[in-house]
Amino acid sequence: MMKELKPIRNKLEYKEALAQASYYFDHEPKSGTKDGDRFEILLMLIEAYESKHYAILPPDPIEAIKFRMEQSGLSPKDLQPMIGGLNRVYEILNRKRPLTLKMIWRLHSMLGIPADSLIQQDDELRAA
């Protein structure tokens, strides 16, 4: 007998919901059926609990830039059109200077780095 669906409020309820969902992953019901609707609602409840208790924050700005550089095979010199002189690029990458709005816009538009990743304030700069 299946338990009544209700909001997930604690870890025990979360684990129970995961166990119920696990069954459906192994025996996927057809969409639009009673079991299919239950599975869909169960996933929504799990997702809501996870987003509240296990939120994944975007990477800090410098890590986002370094990741894109590695992904695209870029060197610090390649960042000059977006950040400025090579000195300035190294200051940014070494967290000695914060990104300006103009730099954020250029990095976002030219390299496709999500703006929300670039806008976050770096912990080390916050403390300074």
Side-chain angles (χ1 to χ4, degrees):
M1 174 124 176
M2 290 289 190
K3 286 181 141 186
E4 178 184 350
L5 291 177
K6 61 181 183 152
I8 301 169
R9 294 186 179 93
N10 57 50
K11 254 187 178 167
L12 179 62
E13 291 175 351
Y14 173 66
K15 287 181 181 184
E16 289 174 359
L18 287 176
Q20 288 182 48
S22 176
Y23 171 81
Y24 286 123
F25 279 115
D26 295 336
H27 308 89
E28 193 167 340
K30 289 188 179 189
S31 183
T33 64
K34 189 175 181 179
D35 277 344
D37 290 346
R38 180 180 181 77
F39 183 41
E40 190 174 337
I41 293 168
L42 193 55
L43 292 177
M44 285 186 225
L45 292 170
I46 291 169
E47 183 179 348
Y49 181 85
E50 288 176 344
S51 68
K52 183 177 180 182
H53 297 282
Y54 303 108
I56 299 174
L57 300 174
D60 77 70
I62 305 310
E63 291 305 315
I65 294 168
K66 288 178 178 179
F67 178 75
R68 184 52 49 100
M69 287 173 67
E70 183 180 322
Q71 216 178 22
S72 303
L74 300 174
S75 69
K77 188 175 181 179
D78 297 319
L79 298 181
Q80 286 182 294
M82 291 144 269
I83 294 177
L86 202 51
N87 267 5
R88 179 76 32 98
V89 171
Y90 281 112
E91 288 175 339
I92 296 292
L93 294 177
N94 291 320
R95 303 173 191 274
K96 302 292 183 200
R97 179 184 292 270
L99 290 167
T100 65
L101 188 55
K102 197 175 208 176
M103 291 175 195
I104 290 169
W105 177 250
R106 287 180 180 159
L107 288 162
H108 170 68
S109 61
M110 296 173 81
L111 295 181
I113 300 172
D116 60 337
S117 292
L118 295 169
I119 291 171
Q120 282 192 63
Q121 192 172 8
D122 187 357
D123 286 339
E124 291 178 25
L125 290 172
R126 234 180 282 167

